[in-house]
Amino acid sequence: METLKSIYQIHEPKEEISSSTKLAEYVFNECYYLIPQSIRDFFNLEEEESKLKSELILHLIINAYMVQLKETDGYAKLSGALFTQIFNLYNIAAANSEKNTYHLFGDKDISRIAKDHFGKLLAHWMVPPSGNNPSAIPSFLVPLLAFQSIHFDAHKVLKSYNNNQHSRTYLCNLDNNEKLHLDFYNNFKYLLDRFLTLKKIERIFENKQVTYHPTINRILFEREYHLGLASKIIMMVMHYPEEIKNRYIRILSLAAMLPNISGRLFYLTNIFIGNIHFHQIEPMSEDEFLIENLITEEEKFIKIESICKDLIGMSLITIPVMESFFLYLWKNRNGTFDDDNMKKVMSKYEKIVFNDDPVKSEGTKTEGAADNMFGYKLNGEWELAELPFSDFRNLLKIINKITESQRQKLRNIYLTPYQFLEKNSYDTYNLLILKRNKYNIQALIEAISEVVEEIVFED
Protein backbone atom coordinates (compact mmCIF):
# COMPACT_ATOMS: atom_id res chain seq x y z
CA MET A 1 0.00 0.00 0.00
CA GLU A 2 2.90 2.36 0.62
CA THR A 3 3.92 1.87 -3.02
CA LEU A 4 0.39 2.56 -4.26
CA LYS A 5 0.00 5.63 -2.05
CA SER A 6 3.30 7.00 -3.30
CA ILE A 7 2.64 6.43 -7.01
CA TYR A 8 -1.07 7.22 -7.22
CA GLN A 9 -1.60 9.75 -4.40
CA ILE A 10 -4.50 7.89 -2.78
CA HIS A 11 -5.46 8.39 0.86
CA GLU A 12 -7.21 6.39 3.54
CA PRO A 13 -10.56 7.69 4.80
CA LYS A 14 -10.41 9.85 7.91
CA GLU A 15 -13.77 8.63 9.16
CA GLU A 16 -14.78 5.08 10.03
CA ILE A 17 -16.66 3.29 7.23
CA SER A 18 -18.13 -0.11 8.13
CA SER A 19 -20.38 -0.78 5.13
CA SER A 20 -18.70 -2.64 2.25
CA THR A 21 -20.75 -0.68 -0.28
CA LYS A 22 -19.86 2.68 1.27
CA LEU A 23 -16.19 1.70 1.47
CA ALA A 24 -16.17 0.56 -2.17
CA GLU A 25 -17.80 3.86 -3.11
CA TYR A 26 -15.07 5.71 -1.21
CA VAL A 27 -12.40 3.74 -3.09
CA PHE A 28 -14.09 4.52 -6.41
CA ASN A 29 -14.17 8.23 -5.64
CA GLU A 30 -10.58 8.27 -4.36
CA CYS A 31 -9.36 6.46 -7.49
CA TYR A 32 -11.73 8.30 -9.81
CA TYR A 33 -8.95 10.31 -11.42
CA LEU A 34 -7.22 7.03 -12.42
CA ILE A 35 -10.08 6.33 -14.84
CA PRO A 36 -8.89 7.44 -18.29
CA GLN A 37 -10.37 10.78 -19.27
CA SER A 38 -11.99 9.51 -22.47
CA ILE A 39 -13.92 6.87 -20.49
CA ARG A 40 -14.98 9.42 -17.90
CA ASP A 41 -16.30 11.71 -20.62
CA PHE A 42 -17.94 9.03 -22.74
CA PHE A 43 -19.85 7.44 -19.85
CA ASN A 44 -20.75 10.73 -18.12
CA LEU A 45 -19.20 9.64 -14.84
CA GLU A 46 -19.96 12.99 -13.28
CA GLU A 47 -23.58 11.84 -13.04
CA GLU A 48 -24.58 10.41 -9.66
CA GLU A 49 -26.40 7.37 -11.09
CA SER A 50 -23.70 5.88 -13.31
CA LYS A 51 -23.93 2.21 -14.32
CA LEU A 52 -20.17 2.09 -14.79
CA LYS A 53 -19.69 3.31 -11.21
CA SER A 54 -22.23 0.91 -9.66
CA GLU A 55 -20.81 -2.01 -11.66
CA LEU A 56 -17.24 -1.28 -10.53
CA ILE A 57 -18.35 -0.97 -6.89
CA LEU A 58 -20.03 -4.39 -7.09
CA HIS A 59 -16.93 -5.84 -8.76
CA LEU A 60 -14.72 -4.65 -5.87
CA ILE A 61 -17.02 -6.36 -3.36
CA ILE A 62 -17.22 -9.64 -5.30
CA ASN A 63 -13.43 -9.70 -5.78
CA ALA A 64 -12.82 -9.19 -2.06
CA TYR A 65 -15.44 -11.82 -1.23
CA MET A 66 -13.52 -14.39 -3.31
CA VAL A 67 -10.44 -13.59 -1.23
CA GLN A 68 -12.44 -14.13 1.96
CA LEU A 69 -13.76 -17.48 0.70
CA LYS A 70 -10.23 -18.65 -0.04
CA GLU A 71 -9.10 -17.68 3.45
CA THR A 72 -12.14 -18.92 5.40
CA ASP A 73 -13.21 -21.98 3.41
CA GLY A 74 -9.60 -22.81 2.63
CA TYR A 75 -8.49 -25.45 0.18
CA ALA A 76 -9.66 -28.84 -0.97
CA LYS A 77 -6.97 -31.50 -1.22
CA LEU A 78 -6.40 -33.73 -4.20
CA SER A 79 -7.63 -37.02 -2.82
CA GLY A 80 -9.36 -40.25 -3.71
CA ALA A 81 -12.63 -38.75 -2.45
CA LEU A 82 -12.30 -35.86 -4.87
CA PHE A 83 -11.64 -38.10 -7.86
CA THR A 84 -14.54 -40.35 -6.88
CA GLN A 85 -16.85 -37.33 -7.03
CA ILE A 86 -15.36 -36.27 -10.35
CA PHE A 87 -16.11 -39.72 -11.68
CA ASN A 88 -19.73 -39.26 -10.52
CA LEU A 89 -19.76 -35.84 -12.13
CA TYR A 90 -18.46 -37.36 -15.36
CA ASN A 91 -21.33 -39.86 -15.42
CA ILE A 92 -23.84 -37.02 -15.05
CA ALA A 93 -22.06 -35.03 -17.77
CA ALA A 94 -21.91 -37.97 -20.15
CA ALA A 95 -25.59 -38.76 -19.62
CA ASN A 96 -26.51 -35.14 -20.30
CA SER A 97 -24.24 -35.13 -23.34
CA GLU A 98 -25.91 -38.18 -24.81
CA LYS A 99 -29.39 -36.90 -23.98
CA ASN A 100 -28.85 -33.55 -25.65
CA THR A 101 -26.45 -34.70 -28.39
CA TYR A 102 -23.63 -32.70 -26.83
CA HIS A 103 -20.94 -35.03 -28.07
CA LEU A 104 -18.07 -33.76 -25.95
CA PHE A 105 -16.55 -37.03 -24.80
CA GLY A 106 -14.55 -39.98 -25.96
CA ASP A 107 -13.56 -43.11 -24.01
CA LYS A 108 -11.72 -41.99 -20.90
CA ASP A 109 -10.10 -43.45 -17.83
CA ILE A 110 -11.57 -40.71 -15.65
CA SER A 111 -9.63 -41.48 -12.48
CA ARG A 112 -6.29 -41.24 -14.30
CA ILE A 113 -7.39 -38.34 -16.50
CA ALA A 114 -8.63 -36.29 -13.54
CA LYS A 115 -5.35 -36.64 -11.63
CA ASP A 116 -3.34 -35.74 -14.72
CA HIS A 117 -5.46 -32.78 -15.72
CA PHE A 118 -5.87 -31.30 -12.26
CA GLY A 119 -2.13 -30.73 -12.08
CA LYS A 120 -2.14 -29.03 -15.48
CA LEU A 121 -5.17 -26.92 -14.62
CA LEU A 122 -3.72 -25.76 -11.31
CA ALA A 123 -0.62 -24.60 -13.14
CA HIS A 124 -2.84 -22.95 -15.75
CA TRP A 125 -4.75 -21.08 -13.03
CA MET A 126 -1.46 -20.27 -11.30
CA VAL A 127 -2.81 -21.55 -7.98
CA PRO A 128 -0.08 -21.03 -5.35
CA PRO A 129 0.92 -23.90 -3.03
CA SER A 130 -0.98 -24.15 0.25
CA GLY A 131 1.03 -25.32 3.23
CA ASN A 132 2.61 -28.69 2.60
CA ASN A 133 0.21 -29.51 -0.21
CA PRO A 134 1.38 -28.04 -3.53
CA SER A 135 -1.79 -29.26 -5.26
CA ALA A 136 -4.50 -27.87 -2.99
CA ILE A 137 -7.44 -26.13 -4.67
CA PRO A 138 -9.36 -23.09 -3.41
CA SER A 139 -12.66 -24.67 -2.41
CA PHE A 140 -14.90 -22.30 -4.34
CA LEU A 141 -12.98 -23.16 -7.52
CA VAL A 142 -13.55 -26.94 -7.28
CA PRO A 143 -16.75 -27.12 -9.40
CA LEU A 144 -15.10 -25.32 -12.32
CA LEU A 145 -11.86 -27.33 -12.07
CA ALA A 146 -13.81 -30.57 -11.89
CA PHE A 147 -15.74 -29.57 -15.01
CA GLN A 148 -12.53 -28.60 -16.83
CA SER A 149 -10.80 -31.85 -15.93
CA ILE A 150 -13.48 -33.98 -17.59
CA HIS A 151 -13.79 -31.64 -20.60
CA PHE A 152 -10.07 -31.14 -20.99
CA ASP A 153 -10.04 -31.80 -24.74
CA ALA A 154 -12.64 -29.11 -25.36
CA HIS A 155 -10.77 -26.85 -22.91
CA LYS A 156 -7.60 -27.16 -24.97
CA VAL A 157 -9.41 -26.31 -28.21
CA LEU A 158 -11.21 -23.30 -26.71
CA LYS A 159 -7.93 -22.07 -25.23
CA SER A 160 -6.31 -22.42 -28.67
CA TYR A 161 -4.03 -25.25 -27.66
CA ASN A 162 -4.98 -26.64 -31.05
CA ASN A 163 -1.72 -26.80 -32.95
CA ASN A 164 -1.28 -30.46 -32.27
CA GLN A 165 -2.58 -33.68 -33.74
CA HIS A 166 -4.51 -34.62 -30.60
CA SER A 167 -6.71 -31.51 -30.74
CA ARG A 168 -7.24 -31.77 -34.48
CA THR A 169 -8.30 -35.39 -34.08
CA TYR A 170 -10.65 -34.41 -31.26
CA LEU A 171 -12.39 -31.83 -33.45
CA CYS A 172 -12.63 -34.23 -36.38
CA ASN A 173 -14.20 -36.91 -34.18
CA LEU A 174 -16.59 -34.50 -32.49
CA ASP A 175 -19.94 -35.10 -34.17
CA ASN A 176 -21.31 -31.69 -33.28
CA ASN A 177 -18.17 -29.53 -33.27
CA GLU A 178 -20.02 -26.87 -35.26
CA LYS A 179 -21.52 -25.65 -31.97
CA LEU A 180 -18.75 -26.65 -29.60
CA HIS A 181 -18.95 -23.41 -27.59
CA LEU A 182 -22.71 -23.78 -27.02
CA ASP A 183 -22.47 -27.45 -26.05
CA PHE A 184 -19.50 -26.76 -23.79
CA TYR A 185 -21.34 -24.00 -21.93
CA ASN A 186 -24.62 -25.93 -21.70
CA ASN A 187 -22.88 -28.88 -20.06
CA PHE A 188 -21.06 -26.53 -17.67
CA LYS A 189 -24.32 -24.92 -16.57
CA TYR A 190 -26.00 -28.34 -16.31
CA LEU A 191 -23.26 -29.71 -14.02
CA LEU A 192 -23.04 -26.50 -12.01
CA ASP A 193 -26.72 -26.79 -11.14
CA ARG A 194 -26.21 -30.40 -10.02
CA PHE A 195 -22.89 -30.13 -8.23
CA LEU A 196 -24.32 -30.23 -4.72
CA THR A 197 -26.53 -33.24 -5.49
CA LEU A 198 -23.46 -35.51 -5.47
CA LYS A 199 -23.36 -37.81 -2.46
CA LYS A 200 -20.89 -37.13 0.32
CA ILE A 201 -19.59 -33.99 -1.36
CA GLU A 202 -18.32 -32.84 2.04
CA ARG A 203 -15.57 -35.49 1.88
CA ILE A 204 -13.87 -33.39 -0.76
CA PHE A 205 -13.58 -30.56 1.75
CA GLU A 206 -12.61 -32.68 4.74
CA ASN A 207 -16.04 -32.18 6.36
CA LYS A 208 -15.62 -28.40 6.50
CA GLN A 209 -18.55 -26.12 5.88
CA VAL A 210 -18.11 -24.76 2.38
CA THR A 211 -20.01 -21.88 0.83
CA TYR A 212 -21.15 -22.90 -2.63
CA HIS A 213 -21.53 -20.07 -5.13
CA PRO A 214 -22.44 -21.10 -8.66
CA THR A 215 -22.34 -17.43 -9.72
CA ILE A 216 -18.66 -17.14 -8.83
CA ASN A 217 -17.93 -20.20 -10.94
CA ARG A 218 -19.85 -18.62 -13.82
CA ILE A 219 -17.85 -15.41 -13.50
CA LEU A 220 -14.58 -17.38 -13.51
CA PHE A 221 -15.82 -19.51 -16.44
CA GLU A 222 -16.35 -16.38 -18.53
CA ARG A 223 -12.98 -14.93 -17.48
CA GLU A 224 -11.43 -18.20 -18.62
CA TYR A 225 -13.19 -18.79 -21.95
CA HIS A 226 -14.63 -15.37 -22.93
CA LEU A 227 -17.53 -16.97 -24.78
CA GLY A 228 -19.95 -14.17 -23.93
CA LEU A 229 -17.40 -11.51 -24.88
CA ALA A 230 -16.61 -13.25 -28.17
CA SER A 231 -20.33 -13.60 -28.92
CA LYS A 232 -20.96 -9.90 -28.30
CA ILE A 233 -18.07 -8.83 -30.52
CA ILE A 234 -19.05 -11.20 -33.33
CA MET A 235 -22.67 -10.06 -33.23
CA MET A 236 -21.62 -6.40 -33.38
CA VAL A 237 -19.25 -6.72 -36.35
CA MET A 238 -20.49 -9.69 -38.37
CA HIS A 239 -22.09 -7.59 -41.12
CA TYR A 240 -19.00 -5.56 -41.92
CA PRO A 241 -16.75 -6.41 -44.87
CA GLU A 242 -13.94 -8.78 -43.87
CA GLU A 243 -11.17 -6.18 -43.65
CA ILE A 244 -13.18 -3.75 -41.51
CA LYS A 245 -14.53 -6.59 -39.36
CA ASN A 246 -11.01 -7.85 -38.60
CA ARG A 247 -9.87 -4.36 -37.58
CA TYR A 248 -12.77 -4.06 -35.13
CA ILE A 249 -12.21 -7.56 -33.76
CA ARG A 250 -8.58 -6.74 -33.05
CA ILE A 251 -9.28 -3.57 -31.09
CA LEU A 252 -12.49 -4.70 -29.33
CA SER A 253 -10.71 -7.84 -28.10
CA LEU A 254 -8.66 -5.68 -25.73
CA ALA A 255 -11.70 -5.74 -23.42
CA ALA A 256 -10.67 -9.33 -22.53
CA MET A 257 -8.09 -7.81 -20.16
CA LEU A 258 -10.84 -6.43 -17.94
CA PRO A 259 -11.77 -8.68 -14.99
CA ASN A 260 -15.31 -7.29 -14.56
CA ILE A 261 -17.18 -9.46 -17.05
CA SER A 262 -20.43 -7.51 -16.84
CA GLY A 263 -18.71 -4.15 -17.08
CA ARG A 264 -16.65 -4.95 -20.13
CA LEU A 265 -19.76 -5.95 -22.11
CA PHE A 266 -21.47 -2.74 -21.03
CA TYR A 267 -18.41 -0.72 -22.07
CA LEU A 268 -18.11 -2.38 -25.47
CA THR A 269 -21.73 -2.16 -26.56
CA ASN A 270 -21.96 1.49 -25.58
CA ILE A 271 -18.63 2.39 -27.14
CA PHE A 272 -19.49 0.62 -30.37
CA ILE A 273 -23.11 1.70 -30.76
CA GLY A 274 -22.92 5.01 -28.94
CA ASN A 275 -20.19 6.55 -31.07
CA ILE A 276 -21.26 9.49 -33.17
CA HIS A 277 -22.64 8.47 -36.54
CA PHE A 278 -23.31 12.03 -37.66
CA HIS A 279 -21.39 15.26 -37.48
CA GLN A 280 -22.49 18.78 -38.26
CA ILE A 281 -20.91 21.06 -40.80
CA GLU A 282 -21.16 24.71 -39.80
CA PRO A 283 -23.02 26.87 -42.36
CA MET A 284 -20.80 29.01 -44.58
CA SER A 285 -23.28 31.86 -44.49
CA GLU A 286 -26.65 32.79 -43.00
CA ASP A 287 -28.37 31.62 -46.19
CA GLU A 288 -27.06 28.06 -45.91
CA PHE A 289 -28.67 25.37 -43.84
CA LEU A 290 -26.80 23.19 -41.34
CA ILE A 291 -25.88 19.94 -43.09
CA GLU A 292 -25.68 16.53 -41.40
CA ASN A 293 -23.22 14.07 -42.91
CA LEU A 294 -22.49 10.50 -42.00
CA ILE A 295 -18.99 10.19 -40.60
CA THR A 296 -16.77 7.87 -42.56
CA GLU A 297 -16.08 4.34 -41.38
CA GLU A 298 -12.45 5.34 -40.83
CA GLU A 299 -13.48 8.22 -38.56
CA LYS A 300 -15.76 5.94 -36.58
CA PHE A 301 -13.01 3.33 -36.22
CA ILE A 302 -10.51 5.94 -34.99
CA LYS A 303 -12.97 7.10 -32.30
CA ILE A 304 -13.62 3.54 -31.14
CA GLU A 305 -9.94 2.59 -31.29
CA SER A 306 -8.99 5.56 -29.15
CA ILE A 307 -11.36 4.72 -26.29
CA CYS A 308 -10.70 0.96 -26.51
CA LYS A 309 -6.99 1.62 -26.01
CA ASP A 310 -7.87 3.29 -22.74
CA LEU A 311 -9.49 0.04 -21.60
CA ILE A 312 -5.90 -1.26 -21.32
CA GLY A 313 -5.22 1.40 -18.70
CA MET A 314 -8.47 0.49 -16.94
CA SER A 315 -7.53 -3.20 -16.82
CA LEU A 316 -3.85 -2.89 -15.86
CA ILE A 317 -3.82 0.23 -13.67
CA THR A 318 -7.23 1.56 -12.59
CA ILE A 319 -9.05 -1.61 -11.55
CA PRO A 320 -6.04 -3.39 -9.91
CA VAL A 321 -5.35 -0.27 -7.81
CA MET A 322 -9.01 -0.12 -6.81
CA GLU A 323 -9.06 -3.84 -5.96
CA SER A 324 -5.88 -3.63 -3.86
CA PHE A 325 -6.93 -0.44 -2.10
CA PHE A 326 -10.41 -1.77 -1.23
CA LEU A 327 -9.06 -5.10 0.01
CA TYR A 328 -6.46 -3.34 2.15
CA LEU A 329 -9.03 -1.00 3.74
CA TRP A 330 -11.56 -3.80 4.24
CA LYS A 331 -9.06 -6.09 5.96
CA ASN A 332 -7.62 -3.24 8.00
CA ARG A 333 -11.08 -2.67 9.41
CA ASN A 334 -11.59 -6.41 10.02
CA GLY A 335 -14.44 -6.42 7.55
CA THR A 336 -16.19 -9.70 6.74
CA PHE A 337 -18.95 -10.62 4.33
CA ASP A 338 -22.02 -12.45 5.54
CA ASP A 339 -22.38 -15.56 3.37
CA ASP A 340 -26.18 -15.58 3.37
CA ASN A 341 -26.32 -11.94 2.34
CA MET A 342 -23.70 -12.48 -0.36
CA LYS A 343 -25.69 -15.41 -1.73
CA LYS A 344 -28.60 -13.02 -2.22
CA VAL A 345 -26.33 -10.44 -3.85
CA MET A 346 -24.81 -13.03 -6.18
CA SER A 347 -28.20 -14.50 -7.06
CA LYS A 348 -29.48 -11.05 -8.01
CA TYR A 349 -26.29 -10.40 -10.00
CA GLU A 350 -26.70 -13.66 -11.92
CA LYS A 351 -30.32 -12.90 -12.85
CA ILE A 352 -29.41 -9.43 -14.12
CA VAL A 353 -26.20 -10.34 -15.96
CA PHE A 354 -26.50 -13.83 -17.41
CA ASN A 355 -28.80 -14.77 -20.27
CA ASP A 356 -28.67 -18.53 -20.85
CA ASP A 357 -30.81 -18.68 -23.98
CA PRO A 358 -28.64 -18.57 -27.13
CA VAL A 359 -29.26 -15.45 -29.21
CA LYS A 360 -30.85 -16.41 -32.51
CA SER A 361 -31.33 -14.39 -35.64
CA GLU A 362 -34.37 -12.15 -35.55
CA GLY A 363 -34.77 -12.41 -39.29
CA THR A 364 -34.33 -8.71 -39.91
CA LYS A 365 -32.01 -7.39 -42.60
CA THR A 366 -29.67 -4.45 -42.70
CA GLU A 367 -29.35 -2.52 -45.90
CA GLY A 368 -26.73 -4.20 -48.06
CA ALA A 369 -26.20 -7.05 -45.59
CA ALA A 370 -26.50 -10.59 -46.88
CA ASP A 371 -27.10 -12.20 -43.50
CA ASN A 372 -29.68 -11.81 -40.77
CA MET A 373 -29.11 -9.40 -37.91
CA PHE A 374 -28.66 -10.65 -34.38
CA GLY A 375 -30.58 -8.89 -31.62
CA TYR A 376 -27.76 -8.59 -29.11
CA LYS A 377 -28.42 -6.61 -25.93
CA LEU A 378 -27.15 -3.03 -25.94
CA ASN A 379 -27.02 -2.80 -22.15
CA GLY A 380 -24.30 -5.41 -22.02
CA GLU A 381 -25.73 -8.62 -20.61
CA TRP A 382 -23.75 -11.83 -21.07
CA GLU A 383 -25.19 -13.92 -23.90
CA LEU A 384 -24.12 -16.53 -26.45
CA ALA A 385 -24.70 -16.29 -30.19
CA GLU A 386 -26.04 -19.38 -31.92
CA LEU A 387 -23.42 -19.36 -34.64
CA PRO A 388 -21.00 -22.02 -35.88
CA PHE A 389 -17.92 -22.41 -33.70
CA SER A 390 -15.79 -21.65 -36.76
CA ASP A 391 -17.09 -18.05 -36.60
CA PHE A 392 -15.49 -17.70 -33.15
CA ARG A 393 -12.26 -19.58 -33.74
CA ASN A 394 -10.01 -16.75 -34.93
CA LEU A 395 -11.50 -14.26 -32.47
CA LEU A 396 -10.86 -16.62 -29.54
CA LYS A 397 -7.27 -17.03 -30.71
CA ILE A 398 -6.79 -13.25 -30.51
CA ILE A 399 -8.49 -13.04 -27.11
CA ASN A 400 -6.42 -15.93 -25.74
CA LYS A 401 -3.24 -14.31 -27.03
CA ILE A 402 -4.17 -11.09 -25.23
CA THR A 403 -5.04 -12.78 -21.93
CA GLU A 404 -2.01 -15.08 -22.03
CA SER A 405 0.23 -12.07 -22.61
CA GLN A 406 -1.48 -10.37 -19.68
CA ARG A 407 -0.82 -13.37 -17.43
CA GLN A 408 2.78 -13.88 -18.47
CA LYS A 409 4.19 -10.44 -19.35
CA LEU A 410 1.87 -7.80 -17.95
CA ARG A 411 1.14 -8.88 -14.39
CA ASN A 412 1.35 -6.28 -11.62
CA ILE A 413 2.24 -3.37 -13.90
CA TYR A 414 0.33 -1.10 -11.52
CA LEU A 415 3.01 -1.70 -8.85
CA THR A 416 5.94 -0.87 -11.16
CA PRO A 417 4.61 1.38 -13.95
CA TYR A 418 7.79 3.42 -14.44
CA GLN A 419 10.03 0.36 -14.35
CA PHE A 420 7.74 -1.37 -16.85
CA LEU A 421 8.01 1.54 -19.30
CA GLU A 422 11.78 1.72 -18.85
CA LYS A 423 12.16 -2.04 -19.41
CA ASN A 424 10.13 -1.82 -22.61
CA SER A 425 12.24 0.98 -24.09
CA TYR A 426 9.82 3.83 -23.53
CA ASP A 427 11.29 7.17 -24.58
CA THR A 428 13.81 8.20 -21.88
CA TYR A 429 12.98 11.90 -22.02
CA ASN A 430 9.22 11.32 -21.77
CA LEU A 431 9.75 8.86 -18.92
CA LEU A 432 11.77 11.49 -17.05
CA ILE A 433 8.89 13.94 -17.41
CA LEU A 434 6.41 11.35 -16.12
CA LYS A 435 8.58 10.61 -13.07
CA ARG A 436 9.00 14.28 -12.22
CA ASN A 437 5.28 14.97 -12.42
CA LYS A 438 3.71 12.28 -10.27
CA TYR A 439 0.31 13.94 -10.51
CA ASN A 440 0.13 13.47 -14.27
CA ILE A 441 -1.29 9.97 -13.95
CA GLN A 442 -3.35 10.34 -17.12
CA ALA A 443 -0.18 10.61 -19.19
CA LEU A 444 1.27 7.58 -17.39
CA ILE A 445 -1.82 5.48 -18.10
CA GLU A 446 -1.82 6.55 -21.76
CA ALA A 447 1.86 5.61 -22.04
CA ILE A 448 1.19 2.18 -20.49
CA SER A 449 -1.69 1.62 -22.92
CA GLU A 450 0.43 2.49 -25.96
CA VAL A 451 3.33 0.24 -24.96
CA VAL A 452 1.06 -2.68 -23.97
CA GLU A 453 -0.84 -2.52 -27.27
CA GLU A 454 2.44 -2.95 -29.14
CA ILE A 455 3.43 -5.88 -26.92
CA VAL A 456 0.07 -7.63 -27.27
CA PHE A 457 -0.20 -7.27 -31.03
CA GLU A 458 3.45 -7.76 -31.93
CA ASP A 459 3.94 -10.39 -34.65
Side-chain angles (χ1 to χ4, degrees), residues 17-29 57 61 326:
I17 303 175
S18 57
S19 160
S20 61
T21 302
K22 292 291 185 185
L23 191 63
E25 188 171 357
Y26 172 84
V27 169
F28 176 89
N29 292 331
I57 286 173
I61 292 171
F326 176 78

Side-chain angles (χ1 to χ4, degrees), residues 1 4 10 19-28 31 57 59-65 320-333 337:
M1 279 311 305
L4 295 183
I10 52 179
S19 160
S20 61
T21 302
K22 292 291 185 185
L23 191 63
E25 188 171 357
Y26 172 84
V27 169
F28 176 89
C31 298
I57 286 173
H59 168 75
L60 295 178
I61 292 171
I62 291 174
N63 181 72
Y65 182 56
V321 171
M322 286 184 174
E323 290 173 344
S324 299
F325 192 34
F326 176 78
L327 192 58
Y328 166 77
L329 294 176
W330 187 241
K331 285 191 168 188
N332 234 22
R333 286 155 175 73
F337 297 101

Side-chain angles (χ1 to χ4, degrees), residues 69 138 146 151 154 212 228 256 343:
L69 285 178
H151 292 79
Y212 175 57
K343 280 186 177 181

Side-chain angles (χ1 to χ4, degrees), residues 154-169:
H155 164 82
K156 287 195 294 185
V157 172
L158 288 166
K159 295 303 293 180
S160 288
Y161 303 149
N162 55 354
N163 296 318
N164 60 69
Q165 187 59 46
H166 178 81
S167 292
R168 285 193 291 272
T169 302

